[in-house]
Amino acid sequence: MEVVRLRVNGDERVCGVPAHYTLLETLRYGLGLTGSKQGCDKGDCGACTVIVDGRAILSCITPVWEAEGREVRTVEGLANGTETHPVQDEFDLNGAAQCGFCTPGILCSSVALLDGNQSPTREEIRKALAGNLCRCTGYEKIYDAVEAAAARLGP
Amino acid sequence: MNRRNGPRAPRDGLNTIGRPMRKVDGLAKATGRARYTDDIRLPGMLHGKILRSPHPHARIVAIDTSRAEALAGVHAVVTGRDMPTAYGIIPWTPDEYPLCVDKVRYIGDGVAAVAAVDEDTAIAALDLIDVTYEELPAYLDPHEAIATEAGPYIHEPRKPGWNGNVTKVVKLEFGDVDGGLEDADIVVENDYFFEGTTHTPIEPHCAIGLAEGNGKLTVWSATQVPHYLHRELARVLDVDPAKVRVIQPPVGGAFGGKSEPFDLEFCVAKLSMMTGRPVKILYTREEVFYAHRGRHPFHMRYRTGATREGMLTSVDAEIVLDGGAYASFGLVTTYYSGQLLTAPYQMPAYRFHSTRAYTNKPACGPKRGHGSVQPRFAIEVQLDRIAECLSIDPIELRRRNFIGSHTRTVNDLRVTSNGFLECLEEVERASGWKRKYRRLPYGRGVGVAGSTYITGTNYPIYPNEMPQSGVQLQVDRSGRVAVFSGASEIGQGVDSMVAYVVAEELGVPLEHIRVLAGDTDFTPVDLGAYSSRVTFMLGNACIEASRKLKAKVQEAVAEAWEAKPREVLLAGGWAVRAGDTGTSMPLREAFNLAETKFGTLGATGSYNTPKDVHGSYRGATIGASPAYSFTAHVAEVEVDPETGFVTVDKIWIAHDCGRALNPVLVAGQMEGSAYMGFAEAIMEEQIFKSANQGREGLHNAPSLLDYRIPTSLDTPALESLIVESIDPEGPYGAKEAGEGPLHPSIPAIANAIYDAVGVRMDALPFSPPRVWRALQAPDGGRWAPGRAKEVVGVGGSQ
Amino acid sequence: MLRLPPFRYHRPGTVEEAISLLARFGEDALPIAGGTDLMPNMKHRLFTPAHVVSLNGIAAMRGIGAVNGPPPASGNGRVSRAADRHLRIGALETLADVSRHPLVRHHLTGLADAAGLVAGPQLRNMGTIGGNVCLDTRCTYYNQTEFWRDALGYCLKKDGTVCHVTRVGRKCVAAHSADTPPNLIALDAMLTLAGPDGTREITAADFFVTDGIWNTRRARDEILTEIRIPIVERRRSAYRKLRQRHSIDFPLLSVAVVADFADDETVAGLAGVVSALGARPRVLAGWGEMAAGERLSGDLIEALAGRAWSQCRPLDNIIVDPEWRRAMVPVYVRRALGEVAGGGGLREGAGE
Ligand SMILES: Cc1cc2nc3c(=O)[nH]c(=O)nc-3n(C[C@H](O)[C@H](O)[C@H](O)COP(=O)(O)OP(=O)(O)OC[C@H]3O[C@@H](n4cnc5c(N)ncnc54)[C@H](O)[C@@H]3O)c2cc1C
Ligand code: SF4
Ligand code: FES
Ligand code: FES
């Protein structure tokens, strides 16, 4: 066991983990942040996507030590206090989460996109989500939700 | 009749049903709070791992677990001998064990399991289990498996002299098939091959077992059939069923891949019984590919006869199903391969002869559109060929053969509502079919296909006369209504559906309804999330329970108002007197009045199927359903003739779901289905290495990198066109939307490829190398760049 | 879960510290940058280093910028014109940053496209160009779990004695599968390697060897620190990647072309590189002579494509119809050349 210090969703967290833990294992099993999911565990599916220093990355192939000193944001940290992020609300309204297992990762990719581009085109949304596999929706409702969220966030 | 999902006015006097609404679990899923099985951590929990066979077919000579048991941190090791009771989801074909007892039958078959303090220790312990195998010849090809006369068979023959490599043979004939073929003006005959594909839910299977000192056994599992799991756990592990509890947390996708018990569920239970500690097993993605139970590869030959006018005269099918190592649902699949083809077109005569073979590969089973997606591909391409031969527009051809509503099929299935013609009309209109069919430039094309699917099976998997679905309602003094539902939420929205029904019937706002589901200790039995049965069956049960409760509330309020019970309306959170809006009270007060009068308020409802919906021949019950959904697709594709790449630009999906209880969810099911069909059409293949590829029966590449499922950049635009035929027996007229809309994607794309470049793709998937090869063939491409396609009788005139 | 094997993690702050760690632990250590190749490979037990040396704390290995003067040692001259400027890309720059950088986009279109076509968005946010250049070779019999490889019976490259692709050969022919190197080779890029004995420069073309087990001339204790690419006026480049899925997919075949044009649009220099065949990207022979002084006409493109076809033979190291992949060589070459001939008009379809 080694002690790792992480900044997750604005909190400073200290956690004892085996030295060969990934960021995903640390979040899920070390810190109890089970929102981030595991679908393949080797970089193929995007279910484990979290935002590190503003960018969407895959936590299942990130050694936990690489996250030290950086700002980690997970699905649990997207809401602003009691107010959900518009993209979360739009996922709910548009039926963009069916089984919901890809959802945390897709939300993180979407928020990383919207943080840098408040009015993405549908094509830009498609491209931004091209590393997140969803097996339920056919993606159509997900684009609807991200578009609607962008409209709410926009000027 | 159609609409994109959007707000709309109440119809048919319904307030909630038919509107776009949030899901009851939408927020939990959008905030990461939904707790899936692997998100659960119990105090003192151990981690289990399963040792798997590296051989496709071998006898287990000996297993020595002593070194593993001696490893520090290991708490228990089990082998097949510890759980020697055979099971199988179909009671007539129990042919598997929680862990292999004498034989392994595919690479990945479970042999032993360990529970240890952590996963690393459990993995290390697997390396210390010594298994001695005696390798046996393996069968990979179903034809070879069937042809063999000696053995060693994959399974012991059930009767001496039988072939132990055959799960099931079904031969059924309706009408005069040979006569119909003889009398036909044209007969089209072709071979088709449907490659195996797998479900690939994003959540890998996971289970946790907890055995307590008092004999209680609890299993949490990502399953779509908690009830069947409950039964099998009790039977195989010899535990009093009343002491077994199955909890089904939210499931991260299933599609049929979690619809029977799996080795991990028995292993966590057994290991917990041995250690007294909770035990969790989470499959790796690789193990999900081995657990499989996905689409069977089908080798099909169809002969289809038609008159000059395009009316079908006779259909004759010969099918070999490649079943993999175990029966799974295979007995049903073998029937479904023929039984579900007899609508939406009238078939005067029909015969099918289907044989399911065992092979040394992971077992095949039910995947979305169980057993009928493969023959549907074949028949819809057959129809396209007939239309072509006769110069009839393929939509018109389908119209002419429409079977109608409130009728019986040639194999004696009762059909009630049928919106297929509207579906054809919708896709024809929305896609601009008449402008496009045979008129797009070389390389672009459109194709059409239709289909039907069951709304639940008429009979449960094990014979019994009890209801197929039950629900219980309970009301407290705050106005909150709790729904105890046995149904399995797997992403399709069933928990929301029951809430919508209760809201509609009792007038309770959605936010006052709690749905408690997926726990066999607290909920009535529902048979599970398979065969598109839940909305129809549980929806009806829920209406029944709600109306019982409503009657009590009406009676109590009527008494207070000195009115007639039927004058008491419940809506929008209020009880209101009909024709006198001044007289009203909040629902909470109404409930309190009812509780005062009747005592604690609750009600149950259940649903069972009508029994007069099928014939009486052997097998007639399989394929029988209380109602059928209907679908039509038009796909538009672009084929790059140089490379063979097929880009599906768009699929128009028209689906008769009976009634859309929530159009957002219905459209979501339609799109997800069309996506999944598209995926099978273009890229997916669950395939295995051959002996000259290093290892016979080894999965080609069990990962999400190499088993390619479509990304956002691959998936076509999908347009849902909801058609409502209002079924007489469905809840508010609803049927199903979760599986039917998958079927036509594949043949519609095949037919569109033909329209684009003039090659027939009769084997799946239509991957670039295959399309390219088809185009390279001497006869590759009926039309060529620059040459006009022959425009056939668009509009139907010959 | 797929677990990582145990290891110790080191985060040096300078190239020197990193090299001394690598030198100290020898065979027991591996460098890691984005980790998008190494982590999956470790989960598959293809590598089980006791020490993992992270390069990510080394600021000197970052940055993208134009530098005056030609790259240190000039390239091997396949492409004609001398450069008086070059672009320096630190090895730790992510593929996302490389693909979006305005200088890269402007001067090195093919490289920008290639970086933008690697894997999916998250992997491009993590994966570095240095890691891409040093990417391990790939093979259907190799990039699999320990269980799978055990059931297979292992292979030459890792733990075994036979090659399942060639069956007879004693050489591994696993496919070079990285997207950026074919472009770097065609662009005459120079790689800087830092090792215990100081730094050395090597052309991208010389960097790769045909041995699929370790397909570069990088010693195990050397680190790729930066890449320098000449900026040449009137040079146009293009990249085409064959893959069955439009994202999250390695190349089944890749084609990079670079052409220098004279003022009258005749070809002054031409280079083509094809990869995802064997362990080393293939520099197409005879192209420069065929094209010199000519316009890139349809006929010339056709002839060049034919020439490429005769030099490229895809293998069964990737289980996708090798005959089809071979037939795609001229098609993809034609498309890439069409793009440079047309002045970069067909920008969208690099993925097909
Ligand atoms: C699902 C998936 C899909 C992918 N698809 C593609 C694809 O389409 N195209 C493609 O090209 N790649 C693909 N990759 C591989 C990978 O993401 C990229 O090649 C990436 O650029 C690798 O860079 P990295 O920094 O992550 O490498 P790392 O994993 O950090 O390193 C890769 C190797 O290089 C060594 N190394 C890294 N940096 C240095 C250095 N500076 N000096 C010396 N040695 C070094 C490491 O020791 C390791 O052996 C894919 C990966 C995954 C998981
Ligand atoms: S090419 Fe041969 S030796 Fe190399 S990885 Fe593939 S099978 Fe192994
Ligand atoms: S779990 Fe990380 S990419 Fe699949
Ligand atoms: S909602 Fe189920 S995988 Fe996307």
Side-chain angles (χ1 to χ4, degrees), chain A residues 96-103 106 133-137 142, chain B residues 201-202 252-253 255:
Chain A
Q98 288 188 20
C99 79
F101 207 74
C102 68
T103 307
I106 292 193
L133 298 175
C134 173
R135 196 56 166 165
C136 297
T137 60
I142 294 174
Chain B
I202 305 298
F255 315 110

mmCIF file with all atom_site columns, all heavy atoms in Angstrom, chain A residues 96-103 106 133-137 142, chain B residues 201-202 252-253 255, ligand 4:
data_model
loop_
_atom_site.group_PDB
_atom_site.id
_atom_site.type_symbol
_atom_site.label_atom_id
_atom_site.label_alt_id
_atom_site.label_comp_id
_atom_site.label_asym_id
_atom_site.label_entity_id
_atom_site.label_seq_id
_atom_site.pdbx_PDB_ins_code
_atom_site.Cartn_x
_atom_site.Cartn_y
_atom_site.Cartn_z
_atom_site.occupancy
_atom_site.B_iso_or_equiv
_atom_site.pdbx_formal_charge
_atom_site.auth_seq_id
_atom_site.auth_comp_id
_atom_site.auth_asym_id
_atom_site.auth_atom_id
_atom_site.pdbx_PDB_model_num
ATOM   1   N  N   . ALA A 1 96  ? -31.492 9.984  -22.989 1.00 0.00 ? 96  ALA A N   1
ATOM   2   C  CA  . ALA A 1 96  ? -30.171 9.691  -23.549 1.00 0.00 ? 96  ALA A CA  1
ATOM   3   C  C   . ALA A 1 96  ? -29.435 8.619  -22.756 1.00 0.00 ? 96  ALA A C   1
ATOM   4   O  O   . ALA A 1 96  ? -28.423 8.103  -23.199 1.00 0.00 ? 96  ALA A O   1
ATOM   5   C  CB  . ALA A 1 96  ? -29.332 10.963 -23.601 1.00 0.00 ? 96  ALA A CB  1
ATOM   6   N  N   . ALA A 1 97  ? -29.937 8.322  -21.569 1.00 0.00 ? 97  ALA A N   1
ATOM   7   C  CA  . ALA A 1 97  ? -29.363 7.227  -20.795 1.00 0.00 ? 97  ALA A CA  1
ATOM   8   C  C   . ALA A 1 97  ? -30.384 6.100  -20.765 1.00 0.00 ? 97  ALA A C   1
ATOM   9   O  O   . ALA A 1 97  ? -31.449 6.254  -20.177 1.00 0.00 ? 97  ALA A O   1
ATOM   10  C  CB  . ALA A 1 97  ? -29.045 7.676  -19.372 1.00 0.00 ? 97  ALA A CB  1
ATOM   11  N  N   . GLN A 1 98  ? -30.071 4.999  -21.414 1.00 0.00 ? 98  GLN A N   1
ATOM   12  C  CA  . GLN A 1 98  ? -30.957 3.835  -21.289 1.00 0.00 ? 98  GLN A CA  1
ATOM   13  C  C   . GLN A 1 98  ? -30.444 2.993  -20.135 1.00 0.00 ? 98  GLN A C   1
ATOM   14  O  O   . GLN A 1 98  ? -30.856 3.183  -19.005 1.00 0.00 ? 98  GLN A O   1
ATOM   15  C  CB  . GLN A 1 98  ? -31.042 3.082  -22.615 1.00 0.00 ? 98  GLN A CB  1
ATOM   16  C  CG  . GLN A 1 98  ? -31.859 3.867  -23.659 1.00 0.00 ? 98  GLN A CG  1
ATOM   17  C  CD  . GLN A 1 98  ? -32.135 3.083  -24.929 1.00 0.00 ? 98  GLN A CD  1
ATOM   18  O  OE1 . GLN A 1 98  ? -32.069 1.862  -24.975 1.00 0.00 ? 98  GLN A OE1 1
ATOM   19  N  NE2 . GLN A 1 98  ? -32.463 3.792  -25.998 1.00 0.00 ? 98  GLN A NE2 1
ATOM   20  N  N   . CYS A 1 99  ? -29.511 2.089  -20.394 1.00 0.00 ? 99  CYS A N   1
ATOM   21  C  CA  . CYS A 1 99  ? -28.990 1.334  -19.252 1.00 0.00 ? 99  CYS A CA  1
ATOM   22  C  C   . CYS A 1 99  ? -28.138 2.228  -18.369 1.00 0.00 ? 99  CYS A C   1
ATOM   23  O  O   . CYS A 1 99  ? -27.951 1.966  -17.194 1.00 0.00 ? 99  CYS A O   1
ATOM   24  C  CB  . CYS A 1 99  ? -28.200 0.118  -19.710 1.00 0.00 ? 99  CYS A CB  1
ATOM   25  S  SG  . CYS A 1 99  ? -26.521 0.479  -20.251 1.00 0.00 ? 99  CYS A SG  1
ATOM   26  N  N   . GLY A 1 100 ? -27.598 3.304  -18.948 1.00 0.00 ? 100 GLY A N   1
ATOM   27  C  CA  . GLY A 1 100 ? -26.865 4.276  -18.148 1.00 0.00 ? 100 GLY A CA  1
ATOM   28  C  C   . GLY A 1 100 ? -25.415 3.923  -17.880 1.00 0.00 ? 100 GLY A C   1
ATOM   29  O  O   . GLY A 1 100 ? -24.723 4.659  -17.188 1.00 0.00 ? 100 GLY A O   1
ATOM   30  N  N   . PHE A 1 101 ? -24.946 2.829  -18.427 1.00 0.00 ? 101 PHE A N   1
ATOM   31  C  CA  . PHE A 1 101 ? -23.606 2.393  -18.060 1.00 0.00 ? 101 PHE A CA  1
ATOM   32  C  C   . PHE A 1 101 ? -22.526 3.176  -18.793 1.00 0.00 ? 101 PHE A C   1
ATOM   33  O  O   . PHE A 1 101 ? -21.450 3.420  -18.259 1.00 0.00 ? 101 PHE A O   1
ATOM   34  C  CB  . PHE A 1 101 ? -23.440 0.892  -18.319 1.00 0.00 ? 101 PHE A CB  1
ATOM   35  C  CG  . PHE A 1 101 ? -22.424 0.247  -17.424 1.00 0.00 ? 101 PHE A CG  1
ATOM   36  C  CD1 . PHE A 1 101 ? -22.717 0.013  -16.087 1.00 0.00 ? 101 PHE A CD1 1
ATOM   37  C  CD2 . PHE A 1 101 ? -21.179 -0.114 -17.893 1.00 0.00 ? 101 PHE A CD2 1
ATOM   38  C  CE1 . PHE A 1 101 ? -21.787 -0.574 -15.245 1.00 0.00 ? 101 PHE A CE1 1
ATOM   39  C  CE2 . PHE A 1 101 ? -20.228 -0.700 -17.053 1.00 0.00 ? 101 PHE A CE2 1
ATOM   40  C  CZ  . PHE A 1 101 ? -20.540 -0.926 -15.726 1.00 0.00 ? 101 PHE A CZ  1
ATOM   41  N  N   . CYS A 1 102 ? -22.831 3.590  -20.006 1.00 0.00 ? 102 CYS A N   1
ATOM   42  C  CA  . CYS A 1 102 ? -21.873 4.421  -20.742 1.00 0.00 ? 102 CYS A CA  1
ATOM   43  C  C   . CYS A 1 102 ? -22.005 5.877  -20.332 1.00 0.00 ? 102 CYS A C   1
ATOM   44  O  O   . CYS A 1 102 ? -21.168 6.702  -20.683 1.00 0.00 ? 102 CYS A O   1
ATOM   45  C  CB  . CYS A 1 102 ? -22.137 4.316  -22.245 1.00 0.00 ? 102 CYS A CB  1
ATOM   46  S  SG  . CYS A 1 102 ? -23.708 5.083  -22.720 1.00 0.00 ? 102 CYS A SG  1
ATOM   47  N  N   . THR A 1 103 ? -23.099 6.199  -19.641 1.00 0.00 ? 103 THR A N   1
ATOM   48  C  CA  . THR A 1 103 ? -23.484 7.591  -19.417 1.00 0.00 ? 103 THR A CA  1
ATOM   49  C  C   . THR A 1 103 ? -22.437 8.423  -18.672 1.00 0.00 ? 103 THR A C   1
ATOM   50  O  O   . THR A 1 103 ? -22.119 9.534  -19.125 1.00 0.00 ? 103 THR A O   1
ATOM   51  C  CB  . THR A 1 103 ? -24.852 7.633  -18.689 1.00 0.00 ? 103 THR A CB  1
ATOM   52  O  OG1 . THR A 1 103 ? -25.776 6.829  -19.438 1.00 0.00 ? 103 THR A OG1 1
ATOM   53  C  CG2 . THR A 1 103 ? -25.383 9.043  -18.584 1.00 0.00 ? 103 THR A CG2 1
ATOM   54  N  N   . ILE A 1 106 ? -19.766 9.307  -21.078 1.00 0.00 ? 106 ILE A N   1
ATOM   55  C  CA  . ILE A 1 106 ? -20.234 10.186 -22.154 1.00 0.00 ? 106 ILE A CA  1
ATOM   56  C  C   . ILE A 1 106 ? -20.486 11.587 -21.607 1.00 0.00 ? 106 ILE A C   1
ATOM   57  O  O   . ILE A 1 106 ? -20.191 12.588 -22.270 1.00 0.00 ? 106 ILE A O   1
ATOM   58  C  CB  . ILE A 1 106 ? -21.486 9.588  -22.835 1.00 0.00 ? 106 ILE A CB  1
ATOM   59  C  CG1 . ILE A 1 106 ? -21.072 8.309  -23.584 1.00 0.00 ? 106 ILE A CG1 1
ATOM   60  C  CG2 . ILE A 1 106 ? -22.120 10.602 -23.785 1.00 0.00 ? 106 ILE A CG2 1
ATOM   61  C  CD1 . ILE A 1 106 ? -22.067 7.747  -24.555 1.00 0.00 ? 106 ILE A CD1 1
ATOM   62  N  N   . LEU A 1 133 ? -18.231 4.177  -26.424 1.00 0.00 ? 133 LEU A N   1
ATOM   63  C  CA  . LEU A 1 133 ? -19.184 3.242  -27.012 1.00 0.00 ? 133 LEU A CA  1
ATOM   64  C  C   . LEU A 1 133 ? -20.463 3.228  -26.200 1.00 0.00 ? 133 LEU A C   1
ATOM   65  O  O   . LEU A 1 133 ? -20.433 3.119  -24.971 1.00 0.00 ? 133 LEU A O   1
ATOM   66  C  CB  . LEU A 1 133 ? -18.586 1.836  -27.045 1.00 0.00 ? 133 LEU A CB  1
ATOM   67  C  CG  . LEU A 1 133 ? -17.324 1.677  -27.895 1.00 0.00 ? 133 LEU A CG  1
ATOM   68  C  CD1 . LEU A 1 133 ? -16.771 0.259  -27.739 1.00 0.00 ? 133 LEU A CD1 1
ATOM   69  C  CD2 . LEU A 1 133 ? -17.620 1.983  -29.359 1.00 0.00 ? 133 LEU A CD2 1
ATOM   70  N  N   . CYS A 1 134 ? -21.589 3.354  -26.891 1.00 0.00 ? 134 CYS A N   1
ATOM   71  C  CA  . CYS A 1 134 ? -22.890 3.152  -26.246 1.00 0.00 ? 134 CYS A CA  1
ATOM   72  C  C   . CYS A 1 134 ? -23.561 2.027  -26.997 1.00 0.00 ? 134 CYS A C   1
ATOM   73  O  O   . CYS A 1 134 ? -23.603 2.027  -28.221 1.00 0.00 ? 134 CYS A O   1
ATOM   74  C  CB  . CYS A 1 134 ? -23.743 4.409  -26.323 1.00 0.00 ? 134 CYS A CB  1
ATOM   75  S  SG  . CYS A 1 134 ? -25.428 4.096  -25.713 1.00 0.00 ? 134 CYS A SG  1
ATOM   76  N  N   . ARG A 1 135 ? -24.070 1.063  -26.266 1.00 0.00 ? 135 ARG A N   1
ATOM   77  C  CA  . ARG A 1 135 ? -24.669 -0.097 -26.915 1.00 0.00 ? 135 ARG A CA  1
ATOM   78  C  C   . ARG A 1 135 ? -26.186 0.000  -26.958 1.00 0.00 ? 135 ARG A C   1
ATOM   79  O  O   . ARG A 1 135 ? -26.833 -0.825 -27.594 1.00 0.00 ? 135 ARG A O   1
ATOM   80  C  CB  . ARG A 1 135 ? -24.246 -1.346 -26.146 1.00 0.00 ? 135 ARG A CB  1
ATOM   81  C  CG  . ARG A 1 135 ? -24.454 -2.660 -26.867 1.00 0.00 ? 135 ARG A CG  1
ATOM   82  C  CD  . ARG A 1 135 ? -23.790 -2.739 -28.218 1.00 0.00 ? 135 ARG A CD  1
ATOM   83  N  NE  . ARG A 1 135 ? -23.734 -4.107 -28.705 1.00 0.00 ? 135 ARG A NE  1
ATOM   84  C  CZ  . ARG A 1 135 ? -23.472 -4.427 -29.973 1.00 0.00 ? 135 ARG A CZ  1
ATOM   85  N  NH1 . ARG A 1 135 ? -23.243 -3.478 -30.865 1.00 0.00 ? 135 ARG A NH1 1
ATOM   86  N  NH2 . ARG A 1 135 ? -23.424 -5.695 -30.340 1.00 0.00 ? 135 ARG A NH2 1
ATOM   87  N  N   . CYS A 1 136 ? -26.756 0.975  -26.265 1.00 0.00 ? 136 CYS A N   1
ATOM   88  C  CA  . CYS A 1 136 ? -28.224 1.013  -26.152 1.00 0.00 ? 136 CYS A CA  1
ATOM   89  C  C   . CYS A 1 136 ? -28.906 1.979  -27.105 1.00 0.00 ? 136 CYS A C   1
ATOM   90  O  O   . CYS A 1 136 ? -29.975 1.686  -27.611 1.00 0.00 ? 136 CYS A O   1
ATOM   91  C  CB  . CYS A 1 136 ? -28.636 1.422  -24.734 1.00 0.00 ? 136 CYS A CB  1
ATOM   92  S  SG  . CYS A 1 136 ? -28.125 0.294  -23.445 1.00 0.00 ? 136 CYS A SG  1
ATOM   93  N  N   . THR A 1 137 ? -28.350 3.166  -27.269 1.00 0.00 ? 137 THR A N   1
ATOM   94  C  CA  . THR A 1 137 ? -29.175 4.266  -27.788 1.00 0.00 ? 137 THR A CA  1
ATOM   95  C  C   . THR A 1 137 ? -29.092 4.492  -29.288 1.00 0.00 ? 137 THR A C   1
ATOM   96  O  O   . THR A 1 137 ? -29.955 5.167  -29.844 1.00 0.00 ? 137 THR A O   1
ATOM   97  C  CB  . THR A 1 137 ? -28.732 5.596  -27.150 1.00 0.00 ? 137 THR A CB  1
ATOM   98  O  OG1 . THR A 1 137 ? -27.346 5.815  -27.492 1.00 0.00 ? 137 THR A OG1 1
ATOM   99  C  CG2 . THR A 1 137 ? -28.878 5.553  -25.649 1.00 0.00 ? 137 THR A CG2 1
ATOM   100 N  N   . ILE A 1 142 ? -28.439 10.926 -27.535 1.00 0.00 ? 142 ILE A N   1
ATOM   101 C  CA  . ILE A 1 142 ? -27.303 11.542 -26.838 1.00 0.00 ? 142 ILE A CA  1
ATOM   102 C  C   . ILE A 1 142 ? -26.942 12.857 -27.519 1.00 0.00 ? 142 ILE A C   1
ATOM   103 O  O   . ILE A 1 142 ? -26.731 13.886 -26.855 1.00 0.00 ? 142 ILE A O   1
ATOM   104 C  CB  . ILE A 1 142 ? -26.109 10.564 -26.814 1.00 0.00 ? 142 ILE A CB  1
ATOM   105 C  CG1 . ILE A 1 142 ? -26.464 9.350  -25.950 1.00 0.00 ? 142 ILE A CG1 1
ATOM   106 C  CG2 . ILE A 1 142 ? -24.851 11.253 -26.301 1.00 0.00 ? 142 ILE A CG2 1
ATOM   107 C  CD1 . ILE A 1 142 ? -25.430 8.235  -25.952 1.00 0.00 ? 142 ILE A CD1 1
ATOM   108 N  N   . PRO B 2 201 ? -23.079 -5.943 -24.028 1.00 0.00 ? 201 PRO B N   1
ATOM   109 C  CA  . PRO B 2 201 ? -23.489 -4.857 -23.140 1.00 0.00 ? 201 PRO B CA  1
ATOM   110 C  C   . PRO B 2 201 ? -22.219 -4.191 -22.612 1.00 0.00 ? 201 PRO B C   1
ATOM   111 O  O   . PRO B 2 201 ? -21.184 -4.850 -22.507 1.00 0.00 ? 201 PRO B O   1
ATOM   112 C  CB  . PRO B 2 201 ? -24.242 -5.566 -22.014 1.00 0.00 ? 201 PRO B CB  1
ATOM   113 C  CG  . PRO B 2 201 ? -23.686 -6.957 -22.010 1.00 0.00 ? 201 PRO B CG  1
ATOM   114 C  CD  . PRO B 2 201 ? -23.339 -7.262 -23.439 1.00 0.00 ? 201 PRO B CD  1
ATOM   115 N  N   . ILE B 2 202 ? -22.287 -2.910 -22.304 1.00 0.00 ? 202 ILE B N   1
ATOM   116 C  CA  . ILE B 2 202 ? -21.066 -2.249 -21.841 1.00 0.00 ? 202 ILE B CA  1
ATOM   117 C  C   . ILE B 2 202 ? -20.720 -2.706 -20.419 1.00 0.00 ? 202 ILE B C   1
ATOM   118 O  O   . ILE B 2 202 ? -19.559 -2.742 -20.033 1.00 0.00 ? 202 ILE B O   1
ATOM   119 C  CB  . ILE B 2 202 ? -21.177 -0.714 -21.956 1.00 0.00 ? 202 ILE B CB  1
ATOM   120 C  CG1 . ILE B 2 202 ? -21.531 -0.309 -23.395 1.00 0.00 ? 202 ILE B CG1 1
ATOM   121 C  CG2 . ILE B 2 202 ? -19.877 -0.032 -21.531 1.00 0.00 ? 202 ILE B CG2 1
ATOM   122 C  CD1 . ILE B 2 202 ? -20.520 -0.694 -24.458 1.00 0.00 ? 202 ILE B CD1 1
ATOM   123 N  N   . GLY B 2 252 ? -26.412 -2.796 -16.621 1.00 0.00 ? 252 GLY B N   1
ATOM   124 C  CA  . GLY B 2 252 ? -25.782 -1.938 -17.629 1.00 0.00 ? 252 GLY B CA  1
ATOM   125 C  C   . GLY B 2 252 ? -25.838 -2.524 -19.021 1.00 0.00 ? 252 GLY B C   1
ATOM   126 O  O   . GLY B 2 252 ? -24.811 -2.690 -19.679 1.00 0.00 ? 252 GLY B O   1
ATOM   127 N  N   . GLY B 2 253 ? -27.032 -2.858 -19.452 1.00 0.00 ? 253 GLY B N   1
ATOM   128 C  CA  . GLY B 2 253 ? -27.211 -3.436 -20.780 1.00 0.00 ? 253 GLY B CA  1
ATOM   129 C  C   . GLY B 2 253 ? -27.201 -4.943 -20.717 1.00 0.00 ? 253 GLY B C   1
ATOM   130 O  O   . GLY B 2 253 ? -26.491 -5.542 -19.900 1.00 0.00 ? 253 GLY B O   1
ATOM   131 N  N   . PHE B 2 255 ? -29.503 -7.208 -23.501 1.00 0.00 ? 255 PHE B N   1
ATOM   132 C  CA  . PHE B 2 255 ? -29.849 -7.591 -24.886 1.00 0.00 ? 255 PHE B CA  1
ATOM   133 C  C   . PHE B 2 255 ? -29.996 -9.094 -25.077 1.00 0.00 ? 255 PHE B C   1
ATOM   134 O  O   . PHE B 2 255 ? -29.805 -9.617 -26.167 1.00 0.00 ? 255 PHE B O   1
ATOM   135 C  CB  . PHE B 2 255 ? -28.793 -7.034 -25.868 1.00 0.00 ? 255 PHE B CB  1
ATOM   136 C  CG  . PHE B 2 255 ? -28.426 -5.605 -25.598 1.00 0.00 ? 255 PHE B CG  1
ATOM   137 C  CD1 . PHE B 2 255 ? -27.181 -5.255 -25.099 1.00 0.00 ? 255 PHE B CD1 1
ATOM   138 C  CD2 . PHE B 2 255 ? -29.364 -4.596 -25.808 1.00 0.00 ? 255 PHE B CD2 1
ATOM   139 C  CE1 . PHE B 2 255 ? -26.866 -3.932 -24.819 1.00 0.00 ? 255 PHE B CE1 1
ATOM   140 C  CE2 . PHE B 2 255 ? -29.052 -3.269 -25.533 1.00 0.00 ? 255 PHE B CE2 1
ATOM   141 C  CZ  . PHE B 2 255 ? -27.806 -2.948 -25.042 1.00 0.00 ? 255 PHE B CZ  1
HETATM 142 S  S1  . FES D 3 .   ? -27.079 3.720  -22.362 1.00 0.00 ? 4   FES D S1  1
HETATM 143 FE FE1 . FES D 3 .   ? -26.521 1.634  -22.248 1.00 0.00 ? 4   FES D FE1 1
HETATM 144 S  S2  . FES D 3 .   ? -24.558 1.650  -23.100 1.00 0.00 ? 4   FES D S2  1
HETATM 145 FE FE2 . FES D 3 .   ? -25.203 3.659  -23.444 1.00 0.00 ? 4   FES D FE2 1
#
